[in-house]
Amino acid sequence: MPKMNPQGIYVNKNLRLDNIQVYGFDYDYTLAHYSSHLQSLIYDLAKQHMVNEFRYPDVCIQFKYDPTFPIRGLYYDKLKGCLMKLDFFGSIEPDGCYFGRRKLSRKEIESMYGTRHIGRDQARGLVGLMDFFCFSEACLIADMVQYFVDAKLEFDASNIYNDVNRAIQHVHRSGLVHRGILADPYRYLLKNNQLLRFLRMLKDKGKKLFLLTNSPYHFVDGGMRFLMEDSFGLRDSWRELFDVVIAKANKPEFYTSEHPFRCYDSERDNLAFTKVDAFDPKKVYYHGCLKSFLEITKWHGPEVIYFGDHLFSDLRGPSKAGWRTAAIIHELEREIQIQNDDSYRFEQAKFHIIQELLGRFHATVSNNQKSEACQSLLDELNNARQRARDTMKQMFNRSFGATFVTDTGQESAFSYHIHQYADVYTSKPENFLLYRPEAWLHVPYDIKIMPHHVKVASNLFKT
């Protein structure tokens, strides 16, 4: 079986790079990648805010972030308080539904929802956890729910979500997490000498570059200086790479609003009052909207590609505006490495073989024909299938399994949104260095689940 490239670019919609003249980038988790310590920082700052400002019990301050619990793309039910993973069709993953930190059984799921499929009415109470805060947010929600359950206190699941979300947003908007990162960049930021090489290659090819981020400029500037300081000794050179720098853009509202751009004075930390009708590469801009951006730059449609990590805030708007989109999903690299491992492929092949045997069994043996030996065989096959499923799940995440697929190999709801809003996806922008700037990126003809996912066919193991 061929190995998939962990640094590969995977294609949902055909993309000709020779047609792309403008490259746009988000900052957090796109140009800048962070260590696992960041989620602990966000978690700790948010729980402190909930205790100090929202008057949650003091015992909550003892909670610790658990990096082995959450994955990206989970959903929280604000009505019932369940944290769950959904598949491509909106059905609850049987082994991926938690109330607090306790996994619910299939019977409990059916008792609460009537069916594993989430209908339109129930879907209105679900909120997706998709951005780079989602790991700490999901963990803190589950821990708070578990506290109220253990303390036998009544609570409204919606209030738990709203308070956690408000605390997470406060941590971001108040600058607490930004100050924490810049105070110890070696702990939180991951240096990458390939990033400058990629951006310089684009400039050398005559491409236009812009930065569009929700973060404040001082935070982006501090991070980019740190990331670039070892590259050619040009500590202050990052601004020279971009034709337009926009901070505090307030995505996704940026794509639908008509807010004006304001020129930002970084030395005085204030906004100018003059109208912005042209972009100066030497200046920084705040706020604004897509409509004005297009009017000023004249960069339209498929000549523009935008890179971002958040499928809704970053990519949904550009996708609808006709830009090409590239999703940056840091977890992709690790998950492909796991899929490439022989131990995973063996368990996957075993699962598919047992699944095929069960299908043949049920097709040839009716219920009234089942003998004691047949039932024993059926039980043995079902148990073996479950063991293979559990083994594969544990390789990714002990609670929810893989980000992109369910335990049975179906696409997850997160994968569905990647299909919707990302023309291509990869783990880091600089992975484009592995391809020629004029390359034509095509959808694989033999795509099974996601372009990076290989199904091990059972007939390879027939004797």
Side-chain angles (χ1 to χ4, degrees), residues 119-393:
R120 289 183 179 273
D121 293 336
Q122 291 173 320
R124 293 191 185 101
L126 298 184
V127 287
L129 306 177
M130 304 286 175
D131 64 8
F132 75 96
F133 289 138
C134 71
F135 302 96
S136 48
E137 186 174 13
C139 193
L140 189 53
I141 288 172
D143 288 344
M144 288 298 180
V145 170
Q146 190 61 52
Y147 166 77
F148 281 96
V149 171
D150 292 342
K152 296 181 171 56
L153 298 173
E154 290 187 9
F155 67 97
D156 186 325
S158 180
N159 289 338
I160 297 290
Y161 169 77
N162 292 334
D163 289 345
V164 170
N165 185 256
R166 284 168 56 204
I168 293 283
Q169 293 300 323
H170 169 78
V171 163
H172 181 62
R173 292 172 181 166
S174 67
L176 283 172
V177 71
H178 298 149
R179 291 192 290 272
I181 292 170
L182 294 182
D184 194 358
Y186 285 96
R187 178 175 176 82
Y188 298 111
L189 279 165
L190 299 176
K191 285 199 172 188
N192 178 9
N193 57 12
Q194 294 300 305
L195 176 60
L196 178 60
R197 183 177 161 221
F198 171 56
L199 298 177
R200 283 204 175 281
M201 182 272 289
L202 294 177
K203 293 297 288 185
D204 292 343
K205 292 290 183 179
K207 307 299 182 182
K208 299 292 185 181
L209 275 66
F210 69 92
L211 179 65
L212 178 66
T213 175
N214 285 353
S215 293
Y217 174 73
H218 77 275
F219 173 65
V220 176
D221 182 53
M224 289 295 284
R225 285 171 179 260
F226 173 77
L227 293 172
M228 301 292 188
E229 67 181 357
D230 297 331
S231 301
F232 308 114
L234 302 176
R235 184 180 176 91
D236 299 317
S237 67
W238 79 269
R239 286 285 304 280
E240 301 171 7
L241 299 170
F242 292 90
D243 298 275
V244 183
V245 174
I246 302 168
K248 282 200 170 182
N250 197 30
K251 297 175 291 181
E253 190 178 343
F254 175 89
Y255 300 114
T256 56
S257 74
E258 295 193 8
H259 293 159
F261 283 102
R262 302 283 297 275
C263 189
Y264 174 70
D265 187 331
S266 58
E267 293 183 1
R268 298 181 179 178
D269 190 28
N270 62 16
L271 299 174
F273 295 98
T274 55
K275 181 180 179 180
V276 175
D277 51 16
F279 290 133
D280 185 337
K282 296 180 180 179
K283 296 181 179 179
V284 177
Y285 300 91
Y286 267 24
H287 311 314
C289 65
L290 178 63
K291 180 181 177 181
S292 297
F293 182 83
L294 297 177
E295 290 173 352
I296 295 172
T297 63
K298 310 300 183 192
W299 296 337
H300 290 287
E303 70 173 355
V304 182
I305 187 170
Y306 185 69
F307 292 71
D309 70 292
H310 195 303
L311 299 177
F312 297 151
S313 294
D314 289 333
L315 302 183
R316 179 162 54 183
S319 178
K320 291 182 178 180
W323 288 358
R324 308 310 301 269
T325 53
I328 302 302
I329 306 165
H330 185 64
E331 307 92 295
L332 179 66
E333 197 165 317
R334 174 180 173 270
E335 295 209 356
I336 291 179
Q337 290 170 347
I338 293 172
Q339 286 182 179
N340 284 341
D341 192 87
D342 288 342
S343 60
Y344 174 82
R345 293 186 169 202
F346 176 79
E347 293 298 330
Q348 191 188 52
K350 186 194 301 183
F351 176 84
H352 291 313
I353 291 170
I354 297 171
Q355 190 85 330
E356 185 176 322
L357 288 172
L358 284 167
R360 292 182 182 182
F361 182 94
H362 287 293
T364 56
V365 180
S366 62
N367 288 331
N368 55 11
Q369 291 178 319
K370 288 180 183 176
S371 64
E372 186 175 334
C374 282
Q375 187 60 50
S376 176
L377 174 61
L378 181 62
D379 292 342
E380 188 174 346
L381 287 172
N382 280 321
N383 290 336
R385 179 178 61 173
Q386 186 61 46
R387 287 195 298 272
R389 181 186 298 170
D390 291 341
T391 301
M392 287 189 290
K393 174 182 177 179

Side-chain angles (χ1 to χ4, degrees), residues 442-448:
H442 292 280
V443 178
Y445 73 93
D446 60 344
I447 180 172
K448 299 294 185 183

Side-chain angles (χ1 to χ4, degrees), residues 15-21 23 207 436-440:
L15 177 65
R16 288 181 54 174
L17 293 181
D18 58 340
N19 287 339
I20 303 298
Q21 302 303 319
Y23 284 73
K207 307 299 182 182
R436 292 182 297 105
E438 303 81 18
W440 290 25

